[in-house]
Amino acid sequence: MKNNYFSEKYWKDPTIANKILREIFLLSKKIKKSINIMEVCGTHTMAIAASGIRDILPNNVNLISGPGCPVCVTSAGDIDRIISLSDISGDKLIITTFGDMLKVPGSGRKSLSEAKVNGADVRVVYSPMDAVKIARDNPSKEVVFVGVGFETTAPLIALTVMESVNININNFSVTPLFKLVPPALRFLLDSKIAKIDAFLLPGHVSAVIGYEPYDFLVKEYNMPGTIAGFEPLDILRGVELLLRQIESGRPGLDVEYSRAVKKEGNKVALSVMKKVYGTYDAQWRAIGPIKNSGYTLSGTYEKYDAFKKFAIKERKVEEPAGCLCGKVLLGLVKPNACHHFAKGCTPQTPIGPCMVSSEGACAAWYKYGLKR
Ligand code: SF4
């Protein structure tokens, strides 16, 4: 289902956004009823907020954010397990992480950042391979990389674990907390928690997994879907394609981001993940376990699972008091419905993960929404 919109000429035409918007308004008039389009990608959430697209759409077309921010969907219990690694840190263990996990508060509002202030050896890295280098340079210490993310991050970390095996690094391990998008979509539709009329599907994840894993949306749920890129025009065009499906009464799967997404996905990334991971019922924030919705290290790679290596068991803990992050992730409330929003909870003083992550809905609303 390719479209030919994205030629060089298309990108340079300043009137194209107006043309798409006009189509969107015409379609929304024909549809009449209120339409909820859920974006299930944190990068979309940020791009929508930054470009102000939400504000220029017709009143009956709502963009609602879904569980697409990897840091935000990591359960409070799993955040606590990561932070608890700092209890065995000191001079024995080095925790390495991408920067967006540093300030995420656990149930006691302690974070990796706070653990670092209290003496734990917590280091920000820009690639998991940097963590392997730290392990190689510190053979007397254990080095853990905080592995959190979707199908986009998981292949790189799988490659890193394979490389650790190849170069015989045994003092390196990963917290395998990878989430998968299609099972989350199925959960949302089965649970009927939120009113969803269409999905704006993630471009980057789809570039890895291809578009066959979304076939069930139409076949089993008659649910319109469009895989879209991250430029404002990509998103507008994605909305237009979804409205067109709804107006025609013919739900389908459109691939607006055909310049990056192929039907079969990225075969190399998929084969690496197949070698290193197995699926498990991952815990999602405010949702709980979703069947086969996560990747964990399996087979010969299981010994690189930091939670197993250090016997850190699963935990069930309460969400931070008054934080509506779970409801925000399910598209049930907008961030400014939370009474902490922009008062007690800001990017500098986050109460929940949705305000910490660069892809969190609360952070997006705080950064861009308050201006309007
Ligand atoms: S504003 Fe803060 S406390 Fe409120 S839902 Fe968002 S992250 Fe949670």
Side-chain angles (χ1 to χ4, degrees):
M1 291 188 196
K2 285 185 177 177
N3 67 64
N4 294 318
Y5 272 72
F6 291 95
S7 63
E8 193 76 5
K9 193 173 162 215
Y10 180 90
W11 285 110
K12 287 184 178 167
D13 185 345
T15 63
I16 214 79
N18 280 335
K19 284 183 189 165
I20 299 174
L21 259 181
R22 194 174 62 224
E23 286 302 310
I24 287 174
F25 271 84
L26 287 173
L27 287 163
S28 72
K29 270 191 183 168
K30 286 186 193 163
I31 295 169
K32 290 184 185 133
K33 63 179 183 173
S34 177
I35 298 294
N36 282 350
I37 297 174
M38 176 177 273
E39 89 267 3
V40 278
C41 172
T43 312
H44 273 153
T45 299
M46 265 299 165
I48 288 165
S51 59
I53 285 177
R54 189 174 275 112
D55 300 337
I56 57 170
L57 291 178
N59 286 338
N60 64 331
V61 179
N62 309 307
L63 292 180
I64 56 173
S65 302
C69 154
V71 172
C72 310
V73 297
T74 304
S75 74
D78 285 336
I79 298 287
D80 273 16
R81 291 166 88 197
I82 291 168
I83 295 170
S84 74
L85 284 164
S86 63
D87 296 336
I88 44 173
S89 187
D91 58 355
K92 292 193 198 79
L93 189 143
I94 301 169
I95 301 172
T96 58
T97 178
F98 290 144
D100 56 357
M101 283 300 292
L102 261 191
K103 278 185 159 185
V104 180
S107 60
R109 296 199 66 182
K110 188 180 168 190
S111 62
L112 283 178
S113 181
E114 200 182 315
K116 185 176 169 69
V117 170
N118 290 328
D121 194 346
V122 181
R123 304 184 191 182
V124 172
V125 292
Y126 297 98
S127 153
M129 269 315 288
D130 292 343
V132 175
K133 280 184 205 134
I134 293 171
R136 193 190 54 201
D137 295 343
N138 294 272
S140 63
K141 296 184 182 183
E142 287 289 335
V143 176
V144 176
F145 177 74
V146 176
V148 163
F150 285 108
E151 292 96 328
T152 38
T153 319
L156 180 62
I157 297 171
L159 270 175
T160 305
V161 172
M162 286 172 85
E163 181 61 10
S164 303
V165 174
N166 288 343
I167 58 176
N168 202 22
I169 298 283
N170 294 309
N171 60 329
F172 170 72
S173 56
V174 172
T175 61
L177 295 169
F178 308 109
K179 304 280 191 299
L180 308 178
V181 169
L185 302 181
R186 188 182 282 281
F187 167 84
L188 287 166
L189 295 173
D190 283 342
S191 66
K192 298 186 173 68
I193 288 176
K195 178 188 173 291
I196 302 167
D197 299 297
F199 282 119
L200 191 72
L201 296 164
H204 294 151
V205 164
S206 306
V208 174
I209 66 173
Y211 48 86
E212 279 185 331
Y214 303 117
D215 281 351
F216 73 96
L217 292 176
V218 178
K219 283 185 187 155
E220 298 178 40
Y221 298 92
N222 274 330
M223 178 59 55
T226 291
I227 299 168
F230 301 97
E231 296 295 333
L233 287 187
D234 284 322
I235 296 167
L236 278 180
R237 175 77 178 136
V239 170
E240 183 201 339
L241 289 168
L242 289 171
L243 294 182
R244 213 168 274 293
Q245 290 181 35
I246 293 168
E247 194 271 331
S248 68
R250 289 197 299 274
L253 179 65
D254 281 316
V255 185
E256 184 279 334
Y257 200 33
S258 57
R259 62 191 190 276
V261 177
K262 304 281 170 278
K263 184 179 182 185
E264 67 279 11
N266 182 324
K267 287 183 181 172
V268 175
L270 290 171
S271 96
V272 165
M273 291 196 289
K274 200 172 168 191
K275 270 187 199 145
V276 175
Y277 301 132
T279 56
Y280 79 114
D281 300 346
Q283 293 281 344
W284 293 62
R285 180 173 294 266
I287 293 175
I290 300 179
K291 197 166 173 44
N292 289 329
S293 65
Y295 276 145
T296 190
L297 294 156
S298 73
T300 51
Y301 301 101
E302 211 175 330
K303 64 181 180 186
Y304 288 85
D305 181 332
F307 292 141
K308 288 186 179 150
K309 197 170 195 178
F310 301 106
I312 296 174
K313 299 210 173 347
E314 284 196 20
R315 297 174 189 195
K316 277 197 176 161
V317 298
E318 297 293 317
E319 295 294 314
C323 174
L324 300 185
C325 196
K327 285 188 174 176
V328 170
L329 290 170
L330 293 170
L332 298 177
V333 298
K334 300 254 171 17
N336 59 358
C338 173
H339 72 272
H340 291 308
F341 180 76
K343 294 173 194 144
C345 186
T346 68
Q348 287 72 40
T349 56
I351 292 175
C354 298
M355 187 57 94
V356 183
S357 170
S358 58
E359 297 191 340
C362 297
W365 277 62
Y366 185 87
K367 192 170 179 190
Y368 300 107
L370 288 180
K371 290 180 189 161
R372 297 191 180 88

